Each structure stands twice: as structure tokens, then as C-alpha cells.
Amino acid sequence: MTTVLIADPDPDILDLLRDALELEGLDCLLATDGPAVLALARTRRPGLVIVEAGLPGIGGAEICRRLRRDPATATVPILLLTGGARPASGPPAVGDADAYLPKPFDLSELVALARRLMGGR
């Protein structure tokens, strides 16, 4: 079973995402701060990391940079969740993330994007 690591400081968002992804047959790990994300990603090697940009401890952009620099996690796809509406001029720079999705997001869009990032798994 493919594992998704979800990181968000809001327990309601964590529950929502976990429920939606588990319905898709995915196993989920949850984290509420940056250090936990890095530790879980390194030890559990998820098939996807979904991380909130404003995560406490270590922000989402820095988590993406660290995951990319670590040989154990360098190839793990990363979906960055960002606050605010979609910009009219196009997507923001997502740095080392593979994709971004602004909050509030459509749950079906998130699930489809997660599947695409994991190569259809």
C-alpha cells in the first residue's frame, strides 16, 4: 500500500485529507510540525508528502528544500498547500515542491493531483 505523509497544523485539515486519501486506498501518516515531517519522511519513505506552507517549526518551503537535499527523500513527490486564493497571474513559485494547491481546495482536485504526482498509484 502506498503511504502519504500529510503535514498541516490544523487537525481538521489533517482529518479531512486522511479520510479522503484512505478512501482511495492510501495509507496516511500525519504530522503537525516541520521536524516531525522530516523524521517521518526519512524513516517511513512515503510515496507522497503533502505539506502546508505555513507549518510551524520548519516551514513548508524549507521542508521541501531539505527533502530534496536528502538522498533518502530526494525523489519523493511533494505537494505544497498554500494559503490564499489562486493568483490571477498564474501559479506561485513552488521552489522544490512538485506542485502546489491553494487553500481552500476542492478535495477531488487534491486527490486527483496526489494520484498524478504518485504516477497513478
Side-chain angles (χ1 to χ4, degrees), residues 38 41-43 45 63-76:
L38 295 173
R42 189 154 221 308
T43 59
R45 310 247 175 123
I63 288 170
C64 292
R65 278 190 288 279
R66 291 184 189 190
L67 291 175
R68 290 293 177 242
R69 284 193 311 241
D70 185 339
T73 59
T75 62
V76 174

Side-chain angles (χ1 to χ4, degrees), residues 17-110:
L17 294 178
R18 181 192 61 222
D19 291 348
L21 294 170
E22 284 181 349
L23 282 174
E24 294 292 314
L26 299 166
D27 186 32
C28 295
L29 300 170
L30 305 179
T32 57
D33 62 50
V37 174
L38 295 173
L40 284 169
R42 189 154 221 308
T43 59
R44 299 291 299 273
R45 310 247 175 123
L48 173 66
V49 173
I50 300 174
V51 62
E52 160 62 40
L55 205 60
I58 303 170
E62 180 61 22
I63 288 170
C64 292
R65 278 190 288 279
R66 291 184 189 190
L67 291 175
R68 290 293 177 242
R69 284 193 311 241
D70 185 339
T73 59
T75 62
V76 174
I78 304 168
L79 172 56
L80 186 66
L81 301 179
T82 62
R86 295 176 195 269
S89 61
V94 295
D96 291 308
D98 295 288
Y100 89 102
L101 196 59
K103 289 180 176 178
F105 49 80
D106 178 271
L107 201 50
S108 61
E109 183 181 5
L110 182 136

